[in-house]
Amino acid sequence: MIARSIGTGRVTALGTALVLLLAACGGGGASPSPAGEATPATTAPAETPAESPAAPGGAGPNVVFIPKAVNNPYFDAAAEGAQKAAGELGGQFTQIGSNNAIAAEQIPFIQDATTQGYDAIVVSATGADEVAPALRAAMEAGIKVVGYDSSPAEGAYDVFVNQTDFSLIGGAMAQWACDLAPDCSGEIAILSATATATNQNAWIADMEQALQDPQFANLTLVETVYGDDDPQKSTTQAQGLLQKYPNLKVIIAPTTVGILAAAQVVKQAGVSDSVKVTGLGLPNDMKEFVRDGTTPKFGLWSVPDLGYLAYYVAAKLVAGEITGAPGETFTVPGLNNGQPYTIGDKSVVILGPPFEFTPENIDQFNF
Ligand code: RAM
C-alpha cells in the first residue's frame, strides 16, 4: 500500500516523499488495510461508565481508554488498534467516556476509573490543565497514566503518545490552504474542535507560525471558530463562516469531526467550486469529498496504530519495562520499521509521520 507522507520540515517535500505505508506506520496488525474491516469500538454511553473487556483476562494489563468523547469515530479507530494490542498481550481493554468533548465531563470518568482496579488509564485530554488533578490522583494511587492524541499537562502522565510531530501538521495545513486557494491568495478560516484541546491548539499555533512565511503572504486567516467536535455545532460554525465571509477560499479543520461537517456544508451549499475544505480527517469519512473535489487533499496518521502503540506503552509501564523517563527505548511489534522507539523530552513518544490523502491514494485506506 502506498501513501504520501508529509515531509519533514518544508512541506514542499510533499511531492517527493512517497513511502510505503507499512514501512512508515507499522506492519503491526493495527495498520490500516485496504481489505481490513474496521471493528466497532466498545464504548460506554454518555454519563455512565461501563466496561466491556475485549480480551479475556490473561497475563496482560487491565487498561481503560478515556477518549475526548466516545461517539467520535476517530476514537473508534484508535480503539480498534488498542483492542488488537490487548488481544496480543492477553490484557483487557475498556473504553469509557462522555458523549461530549468537554473537560468537565471527562473528569468524573477519570475519577471513576481510578477506583475501578485498572492498571493503566490511557487518556486523550479534552483540557490539559483541567484533567490534570484527576490524573495526578490516579498516578498517586499507583495507576499508570498514558496520554494519547491530546496531551494532559506535563506531570499528569507517565508517557504521552503523540501521533506525530506537532510542527509537521501546522506546516502541512498552511501548504494545503495555499495549494487550494486560487494563486495561494484570499481569505481562509479555521474550524477547530474545542478551544481547550491541546492537540488542535498546538497545530493551529504552528500553522499561524507557518503562515508568516512570505510564500503565504497573500493568504489572510480571517477567523478561528470552534465546533467542539460536535457534528451539529461544527455544521453551524461552518455555515456561519460561509455567511460571514462570502469571499472565503478555504476552510481548514484540524479535526475529523470538523472537516466532515465543513465538507458537507460546502457541498450542500453548492459552493465547492469556490470554497475548498482541508485539514485532518478520517479517510473513510472523506472519500466522497475527495472524489468530488470538495476536499482535494488533507491528512492524518494511522489512527489504529496510535491506539495500538498507546496500549503497548501502557502495558510496558505496568510491567515495569519502562518508567517514562526520557531516553528509555522499547520496541512494539510491527511499528516503526521494527526499530526501537525512544522516549523523548517531556516523556513524549511519537508514532511516526502523518500521511497526505489525495484522489490517487484515498481508496487504499480503510479507517
Ligand atoms: C478529532 C479529535 C482528535 C483529533 C482528530 C484529528 O477526532 O479532536 O483529538 O486528533 O480530530
Side-chain angles (χ1 to χ4, degrees):
M1 180 186 338
I2 303 290
R4 196 178 290 269
S5 166
I6 294 172
T8 51
R10 286 173 52 98
V11 184
T12 46
L14 285 174
T16 55
L18 279 174
V19 295
L20 277 174
L21 173 62
L22 290 180
C25 76
S31 294
S33 159
E37 289 299 319
T39 307
T42 303
T43 55
E47 316 301 341
T48 313
E51 298 186 15
S52 300
N62 187 8
V63 182
V64 62
F65 274 54
I66 309 180
K68 286 177 175 174
V70 289
N71 55 352
N72 179 344
Y74 174 90
F75 293 107
D76 291 347
E80 182 192 333
Q83 283 174 315
K84 179 162 183 67
E88 289 174 5
L89 294 169
Q92 287 178 277
F93 167 82
T94 304
Q95 181 156 279
I96 61 173
S98 171
N99 275 332
N100 305 303
I102 296 173
E105 293 190 19
Q106 191 172 44
I107 293 166
F109 285 94
I110 297 169
Q111 292 168 330
D112 279 350
T114 303
T115 65
Q116 300 298 312
Y118 293 109
D119 299 312
I121 293 172
V122 181
V123 62
S124 171
T126 303
D129 295 327
E130 288 86 342
V131 301
L135 292 175
R136 280 196 294 267
M139 291 165 79
E140 279 159 21
I143 298 168
K144 300 301 178 189
V145 173
V146 175
Y148 78 126
D149 177 63
S150 182
S151 184
E154 230 182 306
Y157 60 80
D158 292 293
V159 174
F160 172 57
V161 180
N162 198 355
Q163 41 267 61
T164 191
D165 190 326
F166 278 131
S167 63
L168 296 181
I169 299 298
M173 293 197 303
Q175 186 65 48
W176 292 330
C178 174
D179 293 346
L180 298 177
D183 300 323
C184 189
S185 65
E187 295 179 349
I188 62 174
I190 295 174
L191 168 59
S192 190
T194 58
T196 57
T198 326
N199 50 346
Q200 272 89 13
N201 286 344
W203 298 325
I204 291 169
D206 277 325
M207 179 181 165
E208 289 173 346
Q209 179 70 31
L211 286 173
Q212 302 305 313
D213 189 295
Q215 67 173 311
F216 304 127
N218 293 328
L219 290 176
T220 306
L221 177 58
V222 290
E223 191 171 354
T224 297
V225 296
Y226 298 90
D228 293 347
D229 271 346
D230 173 69
Q232 186 52 52
K233 185 167 182 197
S234 301
T235 298
T236 306
Q237 292 286 38
Q239 289 166 337
L241 287 173
L242 292 187
Q243 278 163 12
K244 194 167 170 188
Y245 303 102
N247 292 320
L248 195 66
K249 301 301 179 208
V250 184
I251 297 174
I252 304 117
T255 141
T256 57
V257 178
I259 193 173
L260 177 59
Q264 288 167 335
V265 164
V266 165
K267 187 171 180 179
Q268 278 161 16
V271 295
S272 53
D273 280 347
S274 56
V275 184
K276 299 296 178 189
V277 175
T278 190
L280 301 174
L282 292 164
N284 286 351
D285 280 351
M286 302 307 293
K287 280 175 185 165
E288 166 191 353
F289 304 104
V290 170
R291 285 194 201 104
D292 70 19
T294 307
T295 304
K297 58 173 72 171
F298 69 104
L300 203 66
W301 38 88
S302 168
V303 187
D305 278 357
L306 177 65
Y308 185 78
L309 176 58
Y311 193 101
Y312 262 89
V313 167
K316 287 177 184 295
L317 284 165
V318 171
E321 292 173 27
I322 58 174
T323 66
E328 289 179 331
T329 61
F330 61 92
T331 55
V332 173
L335 291 186
N336 205 31
N337 298 319
Q339 297 303 305
Y341 283 103
T342 302
I343 299 178
D345 194 28
K346 300 181 182 172
S347 300
V348 175
V349 171
I350 296 178
L351 172 67
F355 302 108
E356 178 185 282
F357 305 112
T358 64
E360 290 73 39
N361 69 21
I362 188 77
D363 287 330
Q364 298 165 12
F365 294 87
N366 186 16
F367 65 93

